[in-house]
């Protein structure tokens, strides 16, 4: 296990309570923004560019980790802590294999949507805010480890 694997373990333990509070059966998670199709196109392009730059072994490991996680979801759509951890570790390795600018291009392209001020508070209202904040804090710490391995 390398540093990203170790950090993924910490991230996953700290964010699992939040993950379990999300209602994954809500149709909202299967919806792409439809209001601005040309911006959606650009955002997806940024993901294609990032994906094409990824180390192929890291990408394949990510695909397999996701597949395994999908096959262990419970009736509420939540995967096991072990498979969640393996998926986060795989994503960390995928992200570490591309320049930071490619990841930020994806983030910025989705930021362009300007979803509206009510989206954040609405999503937050559906979970325990403290757990969401703890998850976000853990995500930022994980990001530092991934960045250091880039
Ligand atoms: Mg994946 C990310 C679902 C297949 C590569 N993927 C996501 C998430 C979402 C998801 C949970 C995007 C929305 C988001 O950010 O929510 N992926 C998902 C599903 C499948 C899937 C349902 C599927 O196959 C059925 N993904 C794949 C393919 C992988 C793949 C097969 C490539 C091999 N996926 C990636 C990569 C990323 C994702 C790369 C991301 O960067 C993105 C992501 O998680 O960004 C944060 C928020 C996320 C969660 C609720 C999950 C827990 C996240 C962390 C660990 C803790 C929460 C932090 C904080 C509170 C919320 C994030 C805030 C924002 C960053 C501002
Ligand atoms: C901010 C302010 C600072 C503090 C800060 C801060 C936050 C920054 C953040 C953040 C950045 C950020 C980035 C995120 C990026 C997510 C990227 C996801 C990419 C997904 C892909 C999916 C795919 C595929 C895949 C490969 C395929 C193509 C695709 C091939 C060849 C604002 C905190 C630093 C979350 C690429 C993988 C299957 C499209 O900076 O003060 O908070 O989050 O199918 O390609 O097969």
């Amino acid at each position: 296990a390398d540093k990203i694997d170790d950090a993924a373990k910490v991230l996953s333990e700290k964010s699992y309570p939040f993950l379990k509070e999300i209602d994954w059966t809500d149709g909202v998670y299967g919806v792409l923004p439809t209001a601005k199709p040309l911006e959606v196109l650009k955002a997806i392009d940024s993901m294609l560019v990032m994906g094409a730059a990824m180390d192929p072994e890291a990408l394949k490991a990510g695909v397999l980790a996701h597949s395994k996680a999908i096959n262990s979801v419970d009736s509420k759509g939540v995967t096991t802590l072990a498979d969640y951890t393996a998926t986060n570790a795989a994503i960390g390795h995928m992200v570490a294999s591309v320049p930071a600018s490619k990841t930020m291009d994806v983030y910025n392209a989705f930021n362009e949507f300007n979803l509206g001020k009510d989206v954040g508070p609405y999503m937050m209202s559906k979970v325990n805010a403290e757990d969401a904040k703890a998850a976000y804090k853990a995500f930022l710490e994980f990001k530092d480890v991934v960045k250091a391995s880039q």
Side-chain angles (χ1 to χ4, degrees):
D2 64 13
K3 282 181 181 162
I4 292 178
D5 295 310
D6 295 343
K9 195 168 180 298
V10 176
L11 165 68
S12 303
E13 279 164 6
K14 289 188 177 172
S15 60
Y16 200 55
F18 161 70
L19 200 81
K20 285 192 286 190
E21 284 158 14
I22 300 170
D23 178 11
W24 293 104
T25 64
D26 191 321
V28 71
Y29 301 113
V31 184
L32 263 179
T34 51
K36 301 169 182 164
L38 297 185
E39 284 181 34
V40 172
L41 211 58
K42 272 193 244 164
I44 292 179
D45 182 52
S46 69
M47 294 170 78
L48 295 172
V49 169
M50 180 178 171
M54 284 175 185
D55 170 65
E57 287 303 318
L59 179 56
K60 184 176 176 185
V63 169
L64 293 173
H66 276 77
S67 171
K68 187 161 186 292
I70 287 170
N71 283 287
S72 71
V73 298
D74 61 19
S75 60
K76 296 174 75 189
V78 180
T79 194
T80 61
L81 177 58
D83 287 348
Y84 176 53
T85 303
T87 305
N88 280 333
I91 288 180
H93 288 115
M94 284 159 47
V95 172
S97 75
V98 303
S101 61
K102 290 215 160 42
T103 304
M104 287 311 294
D105 286 347
V106 176
Y107 181 77
N108 291 329
F110 278 89
N111 225 5
E112 290 290 308
F113 285 116
N114 266 317
L115 289 171
K117 285 197 284 275
D118 46 341
V119 175
Y122 172 73
M123 297 309 279
M124 188 70 108
S125 76
K126 306 193 46 136
V127 295
N128 179 327
E130 289 311 309
D131 290 340
K133 283 177 199 159
Y136 186 59
K137 188 168 172 279
F139 170 74
L140 293 181
E141 287 162 7
F142 181 66
K143 174 246 334 162
D144 291 335
V145 176
V146 172
K147 201 167 199 310
S149 312
Q150 228 153 9

